[in-house]
Amino acid sequence: MSTHPTPPSDLLASDRALLERTIQISEESRQAGNHPFGALLATAEGKILLEFGNSASTERGTGHAELNVARKASELFTPEFLSSCTLVTSVEPCCMCAGGIYWSGIGRVVYGMTEKRLATLTGDNPENLTMNMPCTQVFDAGQRKVAVVGPVEDMEARIAHVHKGFW
């Protein structure tokens, strides 16, 4: 089963607004002493159901915003419902988070900046040893389709700015 990113030109107006919110969440996460990442879960209509920043200060390497969303979504909602939902995140989900998204049943992902671009910002920082594995590679290995929209290149500078001076 092939899962490939949808061109950002296919972004819905609600996707762009939700992506803006994840940038705010990533700023709040940084201000709280965590890594600057934000993610949320929204219905097909764009209603926000859950929001999480990174929680590295307490959960270290597994406290990623996307995994926090996927974990809580799995507690609260059925996979059938989640298949119609979108996880929106400031930065492309890493392979760990993509696995969590897949196993939770979330059907769609929108992200702003690629993991590869993130690696240019974090370098070899031991708190974020970014892997060179697109989320689509993880999703392609599964039996269930996860639609992916991203990167959103015209928002990349704003997302990168939140990381400036952090790593």
Side-chain angles (χ1 to χ4, degrees), residues 1-7 92 98 101-102 106-109 111 134-150:
M1 173 173 305
S2 181
T3 306
H4 297 285
T6 304
E92 179 180 13
I101 292 164
Y102 177 83
I106 295 168
R108 185 169 177 260
V109 171
Y111 69 88
C135 66
T136 53
Q137 187 174 344
V138 175
F139 296 140
D140 282 346
Q143 297 180 41
R144 183 179 58 75
K145 182 176 178 7
V146 176
V148 178
V149 178

Side-chain angles (χ1 to χ4, degrees), residues 1-70:
M1 173 173 305
S2 181
T3 306
H4 297 285
T6 304
S9 60
D10 291 347
L11 275 177
L12 305 173
S14 60
D15 292 336
R16 190 169 287 282
L18 293 170
L19 192 51
E20 289 284 348
R21 177 63 189 135
T22 67
I23 296 169
Q24 293 170 347
I25 297 167
S26 66
E27 291 169 340
E28 294 165 5
S29 181
R30 180 177 176 162
Q31 291 168 0
N34 287 295
H35 297 170
F37 298 96
L40 60 81
L41 181 72
T43 64
E45 297 77 31
K47 178 185 175 195
I48 297 173
L49 300 172
L50 299 169
E51 295 183 340
F52 282 93
N54 181 281
S55 56
S57 65
T58 57
E59 297 173 8
R60 295 179 185 71
T62 62
H64 293 198
E66 301 88 350
L67 191 56
N68 292 339
V69 169

Side-chain angles (χ1 to χ4, degrees), residues 89-157:
T89 180
S90 55
V91 178
E92 179 180 13
C94 71
C95 58
M96 173 182 70
C97 293
I101 292 164
Y102 177 83
W103 286 108
S104 71
I106 295 168
R108 185 169 177 260
V109 171
V110 173
Y111 69 88
M113 184 171 67
T114 65
E115 175 102 342
K116 193 169 204 157
R117 172 68 171 108
L118 176 65
T120 68
L121 301 173
T122 62
D124 63 356
N125 187 299
E127 290 188 28
N128 196 353
L129 296 173
T130 304
M131 299 177 92
N132 186 15
M133 182 180 293
C135 66
T136 53
Q137 187 174 344
V138 175
F139 296 140
D140 282 346
Q143 297 180 41
R144 183 179 58 75
K145 182 176 178 7
V146 176
V148 178
V149 178
V152 182
E153 292 178 0
D154 66 336
M155 297 182 82
E156 182 178 296

